[in-house]
Amino acid sequence: MTPFLSTDRLVLREFTPDDAELLVELDGDPEVTRYLTGGRPTPPEVVRERTLPRILAHYRRPPGLGWWAALGRGSGEFLGWFEFRPTRDGDAREVEMGYRLRRAAWGGGLATEGCRALVDKGFTELGVERVTANTMTVNAASRRVMEKSGLRLVRTYVGDWPEMIDGAEHGEVEYALTRQEWLSAGAGA
């Protein structure tokens, strides 16, 4: 399969129907899902019947946007995924960026490397005008990735979630970066 994007240490490619077990394993780690579900694993049938079909359906929308399986460039090992998809269906001008990596891939800068590469590709090749990302206020590691990727804090807010998880009482944060800000910072040069 042709890679969507390559960095020094990552290859991002489209997901396939054969990737279900990789996603089941990823979402089965309570540390990976700590700030998403309070550590409860996503049931395998939900991954197979809802999560993966939703991911695959996104590839039929604006090209270059969706969820991307992240592999180690040298090893080909599944490390997790990156998200770069429209906030409004069919409109590539504003995209949400996110990621979910296996614990073995934490702490080495891979999340920042992948996010920076997506920001660059979005602004130079995909017609993106604004990148946004969200996380829980207490998720310091993800907030650092957003900042290192060039995004700036826009707001703190309290979401209306069906189930509260530890730390949710502190709210969520939104970070963003516009194409103009990115260019002004010299990234587009």
Side-chain angles (χ1 to χ4, degrees):
M1 175 175 292
T2 304
F4 166 70
L5 178 65
S6 293
T7 69
D8 289 342
R9 299 179 295 160
L10 296 169
V11 173
L12 304 186
R13 65 154 173 85
E14 287 187 7
F15 276 97
T16 72
D18 296 332
D19 292 325
E21 293 312 308
L22 297 172
L23 291 170
V24 167
E25 177 191 345
L26 181 66
D27 279 13
D29 184 331
E31 285 301 309
V32 170
T33 60
R34 177 178 172 199
Y35 293 112
L36 304 165
T37 65
R40 287 183 311 283
T42 305
E45 62 276 6
V46 170
V47 171
R48 290 185 196 99
E49 296 169 14
R50 290 202 311 247
T51 306
L52 186 56
R54 182 183 72 186
I55 287 171
L56 297 174
H58 258 276
Y59 299 131
R60 294 191 302 269
R61 296 192 177 121
L65 301 174
W67 283 267
W68 308 99
L71 310 175
R73 187 167 182 165
S75 67
E77 175 187 12
F78 177 73
L79 301 174
W81 55 254
F82 286 86
E83 167 194 17
F84 205 65
R85 67 180 177 90
T87 57
R88 288 176 298 282
D89 198 22
D91 185 352
R93 290 176 293 176
E94 181 175 287
V95 298
E96 179 179 357
M97 181 173 67
Y99 63 91
R100 190 172 304 169
L101 299 177
R102 295 171 63 204
R103 268 195 274 176
W106 291 2
L110 291 172
T112 300
E113 184 174 322
C115 288
R116 283 181 179 166
L118 284 168
V119 166
D120 291 351
K121 186 174 184 86
F123 289 144
T124 60
E125 298 176 28
L126 302 175
V128 172
E129 291 297 324
R130 184 176 190 261
V131 176
T132 184
N134 299 275
T135 192
M136 290 179 65
T137 299
V138 296
N139 189 345
S142 283
R143 293 181 71 170
R144 277 193 306 276
V145 169
M146 293 173 194
E147 291 164 359
K148 289 179 179 180
S149 300
L151 282 69
R152 296 184 184 112
L153 179 64
V154 173
R155 67 184 176 122
T156 301
Y157 62 98
V158 176
D160 184 22
W161 304 107
E163 293 182 44
M164 291 296 282
I165 61 175
D166 284 345
E169 67 275 12
H170 300 288
E172 303 270 327
V173 288
E174 177 185 358
Y175 282 74
L177 178 67
T178 66
R179 184 174 187 279
Q180 189 56 51
E181 292 166 340
W182 178 78
L183 288 169
S184 294

